[in-house]
Amino acid sequence: MRAVRLSVVTAAATAAALAAVTGCTEKSDASGGDDRVVKVTATDSKCEVSKTKFPAGHIQIDVENKGSKVTEVYLLFPDDRIVTERENIGPGTKQKVTAEVKEGDYRIACKPGMKGKGIRQDVTATGSGKVAKRDPRLDAAVASYREYAQEQADETLPKAKVFAQAVKDGDIEAAKKAYADSRIGWERTEPVAESFGDIDPKVDLREDGLEEGQDLEKDWTGWHRLERSLWQDKKLTDRDSELADQLITDLTDWQKRVGKAEITPTSMANGAKELLDEVATGKVTGEEERYSHTDLVDFKANVEGAEKSYELLKPVASENDAALTKELDTQFAALNTLLDKYREDKTSYVFTSYDKVGKADRKELSDAVNALAEPLSKLAAAVVK
């Protein structure tokens, strides 16, 4: 997913007491009546909630943006770990976010302009609700996805070490060659990137993701900082060598966290959907790999990670909504076929440089991602029916 800003995620992921479900249908997913519906009215200066206490279990957050800026709404633990979120809520629009939470304290945050720590309201889930028992097939799906994420982390580290060593050696061409390949495993696990705590902003932050008050040279670390040195600055300094070492330190930390990260069936589904939204609205513009233009490598890896999540959840989802899984099969196949137009062959991860992809072709990619993201937004609901 997009690199989470440093002020949003500040603690390593620990065992969390929830399973988040995000949907956008008009029908309420919450059970038990209005006591389980929290209305959030977001403006440019306020984040008003209809209630600050609700029963534990399934709740629904109904968001209306009455401000003039695009906003984000988060349900957070007190230490700022993300329970669930909905990004890119345009002025005058409404969204629904359904979550399954256990007893405890939380915060609802609105972020007008999608910047800063947001306007926050403390809320509490009381002990009067119960969380439904999970289908054992979904537990198996989580275990398989965690194994998949661990495999990606294990495969990423040696590739990242090749990249980092080239940077430290001052070998610009070798570093450029190793750059995109070193990122594939990370991009495949982005549907659950927020479960890795503060690793995301350390390794995958873009320059414009820095918060006000952060120093560009001191606080910007990770792949994209080195990408700028290689392709824009066209030189490597002692600072770049330090950043290469830091990247390996952070990725080693990530590798260790994967096995302990809180991953749920609904976080798998929702993360895949949010990631594809990000691809369609942000990454497809070329803003992520703005210096190297290796965006299509990221796109393909993102789709593979999202599809892996879907395939593991499909046995349950297909029983609950066969029409949905049929549509998802169709749209995943269509997007993969489109992406394959830009690769050298089906076995390689060498893609056309994104600066050579024209405006019409970029729109075609965006439309295909949107066509997949729409039914994917219903996957989490289908899993928990």
Side-chain angles (χ1 to χ4, degrees):
M1 207 166 288
R2 70 176 170 83
V4 181
R5 298 182 182 96
L6 290 172
S7 61
V8 174
V9 179
T10 58
T14 59
L18 59 104
V21 185
T22 302
C24 57
T25 58
E26 288 302 311
K27 182 179 178 182
S28 172
D29 294 317
S31 60
D34 288 345
D35 62 331
R36 294 185 180 279
V37 177
V38 182
K39 296 181 180 180
V40 178
T41 303
T43 70
D44 295 344
S45 59
K46 295 180 180 180
C47 185
E48 299 176 340
V49 298
S50 62
K51 57 174 65 75
T52 58
K53 291 186 178 181
F54 42 80
H58 286 95
I59 65 162
Q60 180 171 289
I61 303 172
D62 288 358
V63 183
E64 182 175 7
N65 183 3
K66 291 187 175 181
S68 62
K69 301 176 181 178
V70 176
T71 195
E72 301 171 339
V73 172
Y74 293 81
L75 180 62
L76 303 168
F77 284 109
D79 63 3
D80 276 7
R81 283 178 296 123
I82 296 173
V83 177
T84 192
E85 65 179 307
R86 176 50 60 92
E87 301 174 358
N88 296 304
I89 306 171
T93 63
K94 300 178 180 180
Q95 296 283 347
K96 295 184 187 297
V97 183
T98 305
E100 188 176 307
V101 297
K102 287 189 176 180
E103 181 180 3
D105 294 327
Y106 301 89
R107 288 172 179 160
I108 291 176
C110 306
K111 296 176 66 175
M114 302 194 295
K115 290 283 187 179
K117 295 191 70 174
I119 305 160
R120 299 176 171 215
Q121 297 283 357
D122 291 336
V123 296
T124 301
T126 65
S128 57
K130 293 182 179 180
V131 177
K133 186 177 181 180
R134 184 185 295 168
D135 187 318
R137 292 176 297 175
L138 296 178
D139 288 326
V142 169
S144 294
Y145 198 83
R146 189 188 305 280
E147 182 179 346
Y148 171 76
Q150 188 67 65
E151 289 173 353
Q152 298 307 312
D154 292 345
E155 292 173 5
T156 293
L157 198 58
K159 293 178 180 180
K161 287 180 177 179
V162 171
F163 169 66
Q165 190 60 53
V167 170
K168 294 176 68 174
D169 291 342
D171 192 335
I172 290 178
E173 291 308 311
K176 284 182 175 181
K177 185 177 180 181
Y179 172 76
D181 192 46
S182 74
R183 289 176 46 74
I184 292 171
W186 171 262
E187 293 292 326
R188 284 175 176 159
T189 63
E190 276 209 293
V192 293
E194 287 172 356
S195 67
F196 305 133
D198 60 355
I199 297 297
D200 193 14
K202 287 182 178 180
V203 304
D204 203 29
L205 192 71
R206 273 84 82 188
E207 182 174 355
D208 45 13
L210 290 167
E211 293 288 356
E212 184 177 353
Q214 288 186 307
D215 181 82
L216 184 65
E217 295 305 316
K218 178 182 177 182
D219 298 317
W220 186 23
T221 61
W223 273 298
H224 295 301
R225 173 64 181 82
L226 292 166
E227 178 200 8
R228 190 186 72 170
S229 294
L230 291 167
W231 275 273
Q232 177 169 286
D233 300 341
K234 296 181 171 58
K235 63 180 181 180
L236 294 169
T237 66
D238 289 342
R239 175 57 177 159
D240 293 307
S241 292
E242 294 172 359
L243 290 167
D245 284 335
Q246 185 62 49
L247 177 64
I248 299 306
T249 297
D250 292 334
L251 289 175
T252 301
D253 187 10
W254 167 54
Q255 183 189 35
K256 294 176 182 177
R257 290 191 194 188
V258 171
K260 302 176 182 178
E262 176 66 16
I263 300 174
T264 68
T266 48
S267 71
M268 289 165 57
N270 294 328
K273 190 268 179 190
E274 290 289 341
L275 176 59
L276 289 181
D277 281 350
E278 183 194 348
V279 172
T281 60
K283 291 187 176 186
V284 80
T285 64
E287 61 89 15
E288 177 158 13
E289 306 290 357
R290 63 193 67 176
Y291 309 113
S292 65
H293 306 301
T294 56
D295 304 80
L296 287 168
V297 175
D298 290 0
F299 293 177
K300 182 63 176 176
N302 287 163
V303 173
E304 288 176 342
E307 190 168 16
K308 181 67 173 182
S309 176
Y310 163 60
E311 290 293 343
L312 291 171
L313 297 172
K314 182 178 175 180
V316 174
S318 62
E319 288 184 7
N320 294 331
D321 195 336
L324 175 64
T325 54
K326 181 179 180 181
E327 176 67 10
L328 284 168
D329 287 343
T330 299
Q331 296 301 338
F332 266 116
L335 181 54
N336 279 316
T337 296
L338 181 58
L339 284 169
D340 284 345
K341 287 172 49 179
Y342 298 97
R343 65 195 302 178
E344 285 192 355
D345 60 71
K346 289 186 178 181
T347 61
S348 80
Y349 244 85
V350 179
F351 284 80
T352 301
S353 181
Y354 203 57
D355 58 337
K356 301 185 185 304
V357 178
K359 184 177 180 180
D361 290 330
R362 292 189 183 196
K363 184 179 185 304
E364 183 182 26
L365 284 164
S366 179
D367 289 346
V369 173
N370 281 324
L372 172 58
E374 193 281 325
L376 196 59
S377 69
K378 304 172 185 177
L379 178 61
V383 165
V384 299
K385 277 185 179 178

